[in-house]
Amino acid sequence: MEYTKEYTVKDEHIDVQGIVDGLYYPFYMEYCRHDYIKEVLGFDIEEEARRGVNMVLSQYTINFLRSLKKGDSFTVSCSLMSDKDGLPKIHFKQAIMLNGKVTTKAILSGTCVPAAGGRPFLPESIIEKVKAAPVFEG
Protein backbone atom coordinates (compact mmCIF):
# COMPACT_ATOMS: atom_id res chain seq x y z
CA MET A 1 0.00 0.00 0.00
CA GLU A 2 1.39 3.38 -0.98
CA TYR A 3 0.76 6.15 1.51
CA THR A 4 1.05 9.83 0.53
CA LYS A 5 1.04 13.20 2.25
CA GLU A 6 1.11 16.74 0.87
CA TYR A 7 3.63 19.37 2.02
CA THR A 8 4.76 22.86 1.08
CA VAL A 9 8.42 23.92 1.11
CA LYS A 10 9.23 25.92 4.22
CA ASP A 11 11.01 29.23 3.59
CA GLU A 12 13.72 28.39 6.12
CA HIS A 13 14.67 25.30 4.06
CA ILE A 14 15.77 27.41 1.07
CA ASP A 15 19.52 27.83 0.54
CA VAL A 16 21.47 30.70 -1.06
CA GLN A 17 20.78 29.22 -4.52
CA GLY A 18 17.01 29.56 -4.07
CA ILE A 19 16.40 25.80 -3.82
CA VAL A 20 15.76 23.43 -0.92
CA ASP A 21 18.98 22.53 0.87
CA GLY A 22 19.72 18.81 0.42
CA LEU A 23 19.61 18.32 4.19
CA TYR A 24 15.83 18.84 4.28
CA TYR A 25 14.63 16.23 1.76
CA PRO A 26 15.13 13.39 4.29
CA PHE A 27 13.17 15.42 6.86
CA TYR A 28 10.14 15.64 4.57
CA MET A 29 10.44 11.89 4.03
CA GLU A 30 10.65 11.36 7.78
CA TYR A 31 7.45 13.32 8.43
CA CYS A 32 5.60 11.10 5.96
CA ARG A 33 7.26 7.87 7.13
CA HIS A 34 6.44 8.53 10.80
CA ASP A 35 2.79 9.16 9.93
CA TYR A 36 2.78 5.96 7.84
CA ILE A 37 4.31 3.96 10.68
CA LYS A 38 1.66 5.23 13.08
CA GLU A 39 -1.41 5.26 10.83
CA VAL A 40 -0.76 2.17 8.68
CA LEU A 41 1.56 -0.02 10.73
CA GLY A 42 -0.10 0.91 14.04
CA PHE A 43 3.27 1.55 15.72
CA ASP A 44 3.34 4.77 17.75
CA ILE A 45 7.03 5.72 17.84
CA GLU A 46 6.65 8.06 20.83
CA GLU A 47 4.60 5.61 22.89
CA GLU A 48 6.90 2.70 22.09
CA ALA A 49 9.94 4.79 23.08
CA ARG A 50 8.32 5.39 26.48
CA ARG A 51 7.94 1.59 26.73
CA GLY A 52 11.62 1.07 25.93
CA VAL A 53 11.39 0.15 22.23
CA ASN A 54 13.17 2.38 19.73
CA MET A 55 12.56 2.21 16.00
CA VAL A 56 15.76 3.31 14.30
CA LEU A 57 17.16 3.68 10.80
CA SER A 58 20.12 1.50 9.93
CA GLN A 59 20.83 2.94 6.48
CA TYR A 60 19.41 4.86 3.58
CA THR A 61 20.13 5.61 -0.03
CA ILE A 62 18.79 8.79 -1.56
CA ASN A 63 18.82 10.04 -5.15
CA PHE A 64 18.24 13.70 -5.97
CA LEU A 65 16.79 14.17 -9.45
CA ARG A 66 15.29 17.68 -9.37
CA SER A 67 15.26 20.55 -6.89
CA LEU A 68 12.32 21.87 -4.93
CA LYS A 69 11.96 25.65 -4.74
CA LYS A 70 10.39 28.19 -2.43
CA GLY A 71 6.61 27.79 -2.28
CA ASP A 72 6.48 24.41 -4.05
CA SER A 73 3.69 22.11 -2.93
CA PHE A 74 4.69 18.49 -3.29
CA THR A 75 3.73 14.94 -2.33
CA VAL A 76 5.79 12.46 -0.35
CA SER A 77 5.02 8.75 -0.67
CA CYS A 78 5.94 5.82 1.53
CA SER A 79 5.48 2.08 1.11
CA LEU A 80 6.74 -0.93 3.04
CA MET A 81 9.01 -3.70 1.79
CA SER A 82 10.23 -6.84 3.56
CA ASP A 83 13.83 -8.00 3.86
CA LYS A 84 14.89 -10.57 1.25
CA ASP A 85 17.01 -12.45 3.81
CA GLY A 86 14.29 -12.52 6.47
CA LEU A 87 16.32 -10.29 8.80
CA PRO A 88 14.47 -8.20 11.40
CA LYS A 89 14.50 -5.17 9.12
CA ILE A 90 11.89 -3.15 7.34
CA HIS A 91 12.53 -1.13 4.23
CA PHE A 92 10.62 1.95 3.16
CA LYS A 93 10.45 3.01 -0.47
CA GLN A 94 9.89 6.77 -0.55
CA ALA A 95 9.65 9.47 -3.18
CA ILE A 96 9.05 13.19 -3.36
CA MET A 97 6.90 14.18 -6.33
CA LEU A 98 6.37 17.65 -7.80
CA ASN A 99 3.86 18.13 -10.62
CA GLY A 100 3.78 14.39 -11.30
CA LYS A 101 7.58 14.07 -11.54
CA VAL A 102 9.94 12.43 -9.06
CA THR A 103 12.33 14.95 -7.53
CA THR A 104 13.86 12.64 -4.95
CA LYS A 105 13.68 8.91 -4.29
CA ALA A 106 15.05 6.84 -1.45
CA ILE A 107 15.14 3.49 0.28
CA LEU A 108 15.34 3.73 4.05
CA SER A 109 15.95 0.65 6.18
CA GLY A 110 15.31 0.24 9.87
CA THR A 111 14.55 -2.02 12.76
CA CYS A 112 13.58 -1.91 16.41
CA VAL A 113 15.99 -2.16 19.32
CA PRO A 114 15.47 -2.25 23.07
CA ALA A 115 16.33 1.15 24.57
CA ALA A 116 18.33 -0.65 27.27
CA GLY A 117 20.40 -2.44 24.63
CA GLY A 118 20.01 -5.75 22.90
CA ARG A 119 19.48 -7.35 19.53
CA PRO A 120 17.42 -5.84 16.70
CA PHE A 121 13.87 -7.19 16.35
CA LEU A 122 10.50 -6.44 14.83
CA PRO A 123 7.36 -6.46 17.00
CA GLU A 124 4.79 -9.14 16.10
CA SER A 125 2.31 -6.48 14.97
CA ILE A 126 4.78 -5.27 12.34
CA ILE A 127 5.90 -8.77 11.33
CA GLU A 128 2.32 -9.55 10.31
CA LYS A 129 2.19 -6.48 8.04
CA VAL A 130 5.65 -7.16 6.58
CA LYS A 131 4.53 -10.63 5.47
CA ALA A 132 2.19 -9.06 2.93
CA ALA A 133 4.77 -6.51 1.67
CA PRO A 134 6.83 -6.90 -1.48
CA VAL A 135 10.43 -8.03 -0.98
CA PHE A 136 13.24 -5.48 -1.14
CA GLU A 137 15.86 -6.97 -3.44
CA GLY A 138 18.51 -4.26 -2.94
Side-chain angles (χ1 to χ4, degrees), residues 1-134:
M1 169 190 162
E2 185 173 82
Y3 177 89
T4 61
K5 296 281 281 215
E6 298 284 329
Y7 300 92
T8 300
V9 170
K10 295 181 179 182
D11 289 350
E12 60 269 22
H13 295 170
I14 301 299
D15 67 14
V16 297
Q17 302 172 95
I19 58 175
V20 172
D21 186 299
L23 168 71
Y24 293 104
Y25 293 82
F27 281 108
Y28 290 121
M29 290 180 174
E30 179 180 276
Y31 304 150
C32 179
R33 189 174 59 258
H34 282 200
D35 286 345
Y36 174 86
I37 290 166
K38 186 174 185 176
E39 295 173 22
V40 177
L41 297 184
F43 185 93
D44 186 324
I45 292 173
E46 291 180 34
E47 180 61 31
E48 293 298 329
R50 284 191 285 277
R51 292 182 186 164
V53 175
N54 292 331
M55 183 177 278
V56 296
L57 287 178
S58 55
Q59 81 179 56
Y60 66 87
T61 303
I62 191 165
N63 298 97
F64 299 97
L65 308 171
R66 295 174 179 79
S67 297
L68 294 171
K69 297 179 178 104
K70 183 176 182 174
D72 281 346
S73 291
F74 57 94
T75 303
V76 181
S77 64
C78 184
S79 60
L80 181 68
M81 294 184 294
S82 62
D83 189 77
K84 70 176 180 169
D85 297 323
L87 297 173
K89 291 182 182 181
I90 49 179
H91 307 280
F92 300 96
K93 180 180 178 182
Q94 292 197 256
I96 296 176
M97 304 281 293
L98 175 66
N99 299 324
K101 294 183 180 178
V102 176
T103 66
T104 312
K105 59 183 180 177
I107 299 291
L108 300 100
S109 302
T111 191
C112 291
V113 293
R119 302 199 49 83
F121 73 98
L122 292 177
E124 286 300 319
S125 61
I126 291 178
I127 289 172
E128 287 305 312
K129 292 183 172 92
V130 169
K131 286 179 182 176

